[in-house]
Amino acid sequence: MSKEKKRSKLEMTEQPASLVKLYLTVLVIVVITEMIGTKTFSIGPGQVVLLPMLFAVIIGIIITPDLLGAKITKLRDLISMTEVKTAGSYVMIALLPLGVKYGTLVGPNIVQVIKSGPAFLLQELGNLGTVFIALPLALFLGMGREAVGATASICREPTLGVIGEKYGISSPEGTGVLGTYLMGTVFGTIFFGLLGGFAVATGLHPLALAMASGMGSGSMMAAASGALAEAVPEMKDSILAYAATSNMLTGVTGLYSVVFLGLPLVNFMYDKLSPVFDKRNRGEK
């Protein structure tokens, strides 16, 4: 029997055990994080919201020492890169119900979307700022096609679904969008929680800031609008209402913004900028 056939047979034998270990590990992580719950605390006028998803990411990193190059045998026996690679294949399947949810938002809320006016509808163009600002920075730091997935938008669930469907979640673009998604999960709520509180000092109208809080992420929106509401308590109800409406509309329009604007633009700019940065990284003139 050839080495390839032996390896294939071994992988087929190990796969069921690997899946069982993966499912049980995920179940334990979910139970632990739900027991921890949401933790909120204030830093000055800003509010930091730590959601269960954040704790799940941290636990996942800790029990997968290969990700950090660690040599802790006991932890490696608990979860290995085999389970990590298997989990990557199931990301898109897990996102399908979420994609259906975003799709069902369009029909029932189409009247509200139309009535909301240009301010709500055009705010999605702000996502394109990630292309103009973050893409050159990513290329400057030496990223390749990962930069396309990482900077097409702020990379929440709709973008994760679009990139995963178009390029595959295991592709360089998929790696980029997953990286930005996880960074948003770990640091996004903290950043926006602080930003929501300190943004009042800019002098912008609180309702404009509330609209800006709805960037398509429920956790980030809650952190930013909650801190903003605490800073301007007399407008609390209006701030929360504007933020929730903005977030809902971003969930509806964000998918189309990424498909028709974000991805074509980021690919166009990548084609134009990557040769310049490639020469720079190689030290060519």
Side-chain angles (χ1 to χ4, degrees), residues 256-276:
Y256 304 103
S257 175
V258 171
V259 172
F260 296 111
L261 296 176
L263 268 182
L265 179 60
V266 77
N267 276 298
F268 173 79
M269 289 192 61
Y270 179 84
D271 291 339
K272 298 297 182 183
L273 294 177
S274 59
V276 177

Side-chain angles (χ1 to χ4, degrees), residues 1-277:
M1 184 180 293
S2 65
K3 292 183 179 180
E4 289 77 11
K5 289 183 178 180
K6 287 182 179 179
R7 188 182 301 112
S8 177
K9 186 175 182 180
L10 180 61
E11 289 177 353
M12 292 179 64
T13 304
E14 292 179 347
Q15 189 176 24
S18 178
L19 285 176
V20 170
K21 185 189 294 187
L22 177 63
Y23 292 149
L24 290 177
T25 303
V26 170
L27 177 61
V28 171
I29 291 175
V30 169
V31 171
I32 292 174
T33 53
E34 288 298 323
M35 289 176 64
I36 295 173
T38 302
K39 303 297 181 183
T40 305
F41 59 92
S42 298
I43 298 179
Q47 186 179 42
V48 178
V49 180
L50 305 179
L51 296 172
M53 185 184 293
L54 171 61
F55 302 119
V57 171
I58 294 174
I59 294 173
I61 293 174
I62 291 174
I63 66 174
T64 313
D66 283 350
L67 293 178
L68 302 176
K71 303 295 183 181
I72 306 174
T73 305
K74 291 182 179 179
L75 287 180
R76 181 175 298 174
D77 291 340
L78 180 62
I79 189 83
S80 67
M81 291 305 294
T82 301
E83 284 75 39
V84 173
K85 292 177 181 178
T86 302
S89 304
Y90 286 89
V91 170
M92 290 309 302
I93 298 176
L95 285 174
L96 286 177
L98 187 63
V100 173
K101 177 185 176 182
Y102 277 112
T104 58
L105 288 174
V106 179
N109 295 292
I110 190 65
V111 176
Q112 184 179 358
V113 172
I114 295 173
K115 288 183 178 180
S116 62
F120 272 123
L121 294 175
L122 295 178
Q123 70 158 350
E124 187 59 36
L125 296 178
N127 260 337
L128 300 182
T130 61
V131 178
F132 292 109
I133 298 173
L135 178 63
L137 180 60
L139 293 175
F140 176 79
L141 294 174
M143 293 179 67
R145 288 294 297 179
E146 293 85 358
V148 172
T151 64
S153 75
I154 64 168
C155 295
R156 301 319 297 163
E157 286 82 359
T159 310
L160 196 63
V162 170
I163 297 293
E165 185 67 26
K166 184 174 178 62
Y167 298 103
I169 206 64
S170 298
S171 65
E173 294 84 357
T175 300
V177 72
L178 270 176
T180 304
Y181 180 84
L182 290 176
M183 288 295 290
T185 299
V186 176
F187 298 107
T189 54
I190 298 174
F191 175 79
F192 279 100
L194 295 173
L195 184 64
F198 288 104
V200 180
T202 62
L204 295 174
H205 197 284
L207 294 184
L209 296 172
M211 290 170 57
S213 299
M215 72 293 292
S217 167
S219 58
M220 296 182 195
M221 181 274 292
S225 60
L228 183 61
E230 290 294 326
V232 192
E234 64 275 12
M235 300 182 67
K236 179 177 181 179
D237 292 341
S238 297
I239 287 172
L240 296 179
Y242 268 68
T245 302
S246 173
N247 204 63
M248 184 273 291
L249 291 176
T250 300
V252 173
T253 60
L255 180 66
Y256 304 103
S257 175
V258 171
V259 172
F260 296 111
L261 296 176
L263 268 182
L265 179 60
V266 77
N267 276 298
F268 173 79
M269 289 192 61
Y270 179 84
D271 291 339
K272 298 297 182 183
L273 294 177
S274 59
V276 177
F277 284 97

